[in-house]
Structures are given as C-alpha cells and as structure tokens.
Amino acid sequence: MPTEADLLIHNSSMLLRVPVDGSDDNALGVIRDGAVAVKDRKVLETGTSTDLLKNHPSAQKVDAGGRMVMPGFVDAHTHLVHGGERAAEMEMRLAGKTYLDILKSGGGIYSTVAATRAASLEELTVSAEKRLAMAAAHGTTTVEIKSGYGLDAGTEMKMLECIASLAESSPLDIVSTYLGAHTLPAGRPRTEVVDELTGPALGGFRRHAEFCDVFCEDGAFSFDESRRILTAAKAAGFRLKIHAGQFNPLGAAGMAAELGAVSADHLEELAPGEAGKMAENGTVAVLLPGVPFFLQGSKYADGRQLIDAGVRLALATDYNPGSCPSYSMPFMIALGVFQCGLSTSEAVRAATTGGAAAIGRQNSLGSLTEGKSADIIILNIEKPEEIPYYFGTNPVHTVYKRGKLITAAARHLNYSHHQRK
Ligand code: NIG
Ligand code: FE
C-alpha cells in the first residue's frame, strides 16, 4: 500500500515536472492530464490524474480545472529590500540621460542608498513584505534578495537583518546575499573602501548572508577590485555571485567562474572565452532581460550562445527600483524567448530549475519531482507556449508553497504606495 498524500492537485491540461536533467524531447517533463501528490510539504508522486486519484483516495483534492500546473518560479536575483522609488529617473532617461550618467552624477543607486539609510528596519520590512506578496501573486515561490543600498556597515547590516526577518515570516523561501560592493560610497578613497570590504567585517556579514556579490562595472568596482573582494569573501566562507558584463565586457564572469562562483548575472556583454570558463566551472548564467527592456538598452544577453557553450541558464527579474521595477517572472520568460534567443522550454526551465541552480538549491526545489519542496502553481493557460504568447498579463491562478495555499490575491496592492516613506 503506497503512502497516502495530504494533498492532490489533479485534472491539469498538463503537469510540467521540469526535472533537473530534462531530456531534449521532453525537457519540461510533461505529463498530460497530470497530477501531483503532496505529503509533508514535499512532492510525493507525479503521474496521470487517473492513476493518482486511485493511489490517494483520501487526500484533499484540488481540481485544476484543465489548467496548466508547474513548479513555482525561482527568482534568483532581486534587490527587493529598499527605501524610496525612482520613477523620476525613468523620466530623465526618456529625456536622453543614460543609467550610468545618472549614477555618476550622484543619483541612481545613490538615491536609493539615501532613502534606505533613512528608513527604519520596520519600514523596510513592511514595504518588502508587500513586494514579496506581489512576486508571489506572479507565481514566484523562492526569492534571492541582496543588500547593497547601505554602502556603510550599519545600513548593510540593517538590510541583512530585514532579509533575515522576511525569511522568518514569509511563506516564500528567501536566500540572502551580501552586496556591500554595490557601488563606491561617495567621498571615500577607493582603496580604503576595498580594504574595508575585504577586511575582518566580512565574517560578521557572513553570519547573515549565504552569498556575497559584487557589481563589477565602469562606475562601480573594477575587475581587480572585484577579484579581491570575491577572493576575500570566499575565504570568509561565502558562496559567490557577480554582476558582470551589464554594460561593458570586463571579463568578470570568467574571473568569478574561476573562483567557483555559483552564478554570474546580467552578461549582456561577454568577453571571448568567458562562456567556456562558466561552463567548465558550472557557474550558472542568470539572465535579467527586464533590465535592457526597462533601460531601453539595445542589447540583451545572448542566451543561445551561452547554452551552446554548455552553460546552465537562469532567468530572474533583478527587481530593483532603478533598472527593473518588475515582479513578473512570466514577463521575464517572454523576454527570454523574444530577446535572448531561448525556446519556451529553455525559458521555463531557466525560470524554475535554472533559478534553483543559481542559488544552489536544485536538489531541493525548482522541479516537481519526488522529495522536492511542493512549490506548485496553477496557471490560467493550457500549455507553456502561452506564457510568452500572452505576454504582459499575469497567467497565475493559484500558488502553493510547501503544499500550502498562499495566493493572497495581491492584486489589491498598490504598486507604488509601499515605495514611498
Ligand atoms: O542589478 N547593476 C547593479 N545593480 C542593480 C541596479 C540597482 C539600482 O539601480 O538600484 C542591477 O541592475
Ligand atoms: Fe542586480
């Protein structure tokens, strides 16, 4: 007699299992009229509705009504904790200024730093909780969140405390990243800043964050500074990430890969040989196509080239108030397909199991296979192609995290009221 499930979601148009090692002819692990059985917050079994209804007669049943069922999205790159908002900068960009112009003249990240320093821990937490609810309403069940709007030790720690308290209180899984090296604080010599970022304080931040990230870019940290920071972070016990190649091909993704980085993110500009180094070291490429969309950059990351080089891909929102204020993983899938050269299957994999790999969680979430977290979404569509096809609309109907219904129809939330103080 097989173990009885607590919950059984059945009568789907198709169930996408999205296994880590999906084969070419069934990369999404599709089961037509599929069902998923959940026991103790984990996936117990998948199969056809007919078989699973037979195997689990006393489970609580949820009829998906012929909708598509798949794993929740894993958003592996966000800056979801911050004060303020920057709609005025969007207007400045529309009038001809670039993102880097605005940053170099003391706006951009610096404007969010000022608002984040001024916000209390409670204010940061309340606003971030609302943003998490909106991410969940778009089907996201796991989120990585970075610090980086403090640029001083006290505010960076306040941000990490905020992320830790969200991880405690939110139904979503939250992974914490220390991004003290987001940009250089105004008015301090670079060498002094880099000495501090590579000094003994790293140990204290490590207690609050699993990953360490650096923004390697013209206007932020150089290749050599980024390498110093990541090397010190690795020695302090962090797993590594990097913002690389957003505007200039500085070679940082290849450098981070050689240091064993779990992911390199952005990658619109890749130097020769970098993709090979990422493939060799198993570094996941996190594509953030909402950024060139919102910044009206002409260039998107070339997902096709990365896949052909053997690199594993993730798609993420990069939610942040300056370069991509979007919570929508379905929209990122659409951009992945229309702008990064991905097939629908590749984009859906990148938004689920790929995202899990980018935060080192591919063995515990991101797929509906036995033993993984029962993070399950039901969508108002019948097949995966309809995610990009109906771009710009939210296809998500219902969200389960660890087998618990969490869709708090967040549609009543105002998109901006929580940004202001
Ligand atoms: O990933 N590139 C650096 N950091 C963010 C943007 C942060 C901001 O503009 O506030 C990004 O795009
Ligand atoms: Fe980012």
Side-chain angles (χ1 to χ4, degrees):
M1 183 76 196
T3 317
E4 273 262 3
D6 313 321
L7 171 72
L8 179 62
I9 301 176
H10 66 102
N11 190 27
S12 68
S13 55
M14 46 174 89
L15 177 89
L16 314 184
R17 290 179 298 124
V18 201
V20 171
D21 52 0
S23 67
D24 279 354
D25 55 343
N26 193 1
L28 296 179
V30 171
I31 304 175
R32 283 177 195 282
D33 190 7
V36 52
V38 176
K39 173 88 180 162
D40 295 336
R41 307 189 289 179
K42 295 200 168 121
V43 174
L44 175 65
E45 191 184 2
T46 53
T48 62
S49 295
T50 317
D51 285 349
L52 265 59
L53 283 166
K54 222 179 292 161
N55 292 352
H56 305 282
S58 58
Q60 180 205 336
K61 313 268 184 325
V62 171
D63 184 339
R67 296 180 177 85
M68 188 173 89
V69 176
M70 64 176 287
F73 299 118
V74 179
D75 192 350
H77 183 141
T78 84
H79 306 254
L80 211 129
V81 170
H82 64 85
E85 51 84 29
R86 283 162 39 202
E89 284 182 8
M90 178 188 76
E91 296 295 325
M92 287 162 75
R93 285 191 289 98
L94 292 173
K97 286 232 162 66
T98 69
Y99 177 84
L100 286 181
D101 289 339
I102 296 168
L103 176 65
K104 286 177 184 166
S105 65
I109 293 174
Y110 294 112
S111 125
T112 301
V113 167
T116 304
R117 286 179 179 172
S120 68
L121 175 59
E122 204 201 331
E123 285 166 338
L124 287 179
T125 308
V126 167
S127 61
E129 273 167 352
K130 292 176 183 169
R131 295 185 195 116
L132 282 172
M134 284 194 278
H138 288 81
T140 296
T141 48
T142 298
V143 187
E144 182 262 14
I145 308 179
K146 302 174 197 296
S147 71
Y149 289 124
L151 307 185
D152 63 43
T155 313
E156 288 297 314
M157 200 55 98
K158 178 172 73 177
M159 290 189 74
L160 292 179
E161 279 169 19
C162 174
I163 299 168
S165 87
L166 295 168
E168 273 290 302
S169 64
S170 170
L172 306 191
D173 272 313
I174 290 172
V175 169
S176 177
T177 297
Y178 169 56
L179 178 59
H182 198 180
T183 195
L184 286 122
R188 291 186 59 195
R190 320 181 61 97
T191 49
E192 183 188 300
V193 173
V194 177
D195 285 350
E196 191 175 297
L197 288 168
T198 52
L202 267 177
F205 292 116
R206 172 65 187 96
R207 280 193 284 283
H208 291 79
E210 179 177 349
F211 287 90
C212 181
D213 194 345
V214 175
F215 184 20
C216 182
E217 188 53 72
D218 180 22
F221 293 88
S222 69
F223 178 96
D224 287 334
E225 290 164 342
S226 301
R227 184 168 49 192
R228 262 192 77 194
I229 295 164
L230 289 184
T231 304
K234 185 175 175 178
F238 283 100
R239 303 173 93 182
L240 307 181
K241 289 182 167 285
I242 189 158
H243 284 66
Q246 180 174 2
F247 301 110
N248 294 288
L250 305 182
M255 173 271 284
E258 284 176 335
L259 288 172
V262 176
S263 78
D265 306 27
H266 283 290
L267 312 178
E268 286 83 355
E269 300 284 351
L270 270 182
E274 286 197 274
K277 287 181 188 165
M278 291 178 67
E280 219 167 280
N281 292 285
T283 301
V284 178
V286 181
L287 308 189
L288 308 167
V291 176
F293 178 80
F294 186 67
L295 297 184
Q296 297 167 281
S298 53
K299 198 159 176 188
Y300 287 78
D302 187 343
R304 184 82 271 124
Q305 181 201 344
L306 286 158
I307 289 182
D308 292 346
V311 180
R312 180 172 211 165
L313 293 197
L315 272 168
T317 61
D318 196 12
Y319 169 87
N320 74 78
S323 68
C324 188
S326 171
Y327 307 95
S328 175
M329 288 295 283
F331 185 55
M332 300 309 141
I333 289 175
L335 291 175
V337 168
F338 296 128
Q339 302 287 359
C340 303
L342 306 183
S343 68
T344 298
S345 295
E346 287 164 345
V348 168
R349 288 182 59 79
T352 52
T353 183
I359 51 169
R361 300 286 195 280
Q362 66 274 27
N363 295 327
S364 58
L365 47 84
S367 304
L368 298 183
T369 53
E370 196 187 328
K372 292 209 175 156
S373 186
D375 302 348
I376 304 166
I377 58 177
I378 303 177
L379 295 92
N380 287 318
I381 54 175
E382 292 181 4
K383 49 184 191 284
E385 295 76 11
E386 290 177 349
I387 301 177
Y389 184 74
Y390 292 112
F391 73 95
T393 55
N394 182 7
V396 175
H397 176 268
T398 315
V399 182
Y400 289 84
K401 177 68 188 179
R402 295 192 206 101
K404 244 185 90 186
L405 181 70
I406 60 159
T407 338
R411 290 182 186 87
H412 67 278
L413 287 168
N414 177 315
Y415 270 64
S416 63
H417 73 267
H418 53 87
Q419 312 257 17
R420 302 201 178 84
K421 265 208 79 183

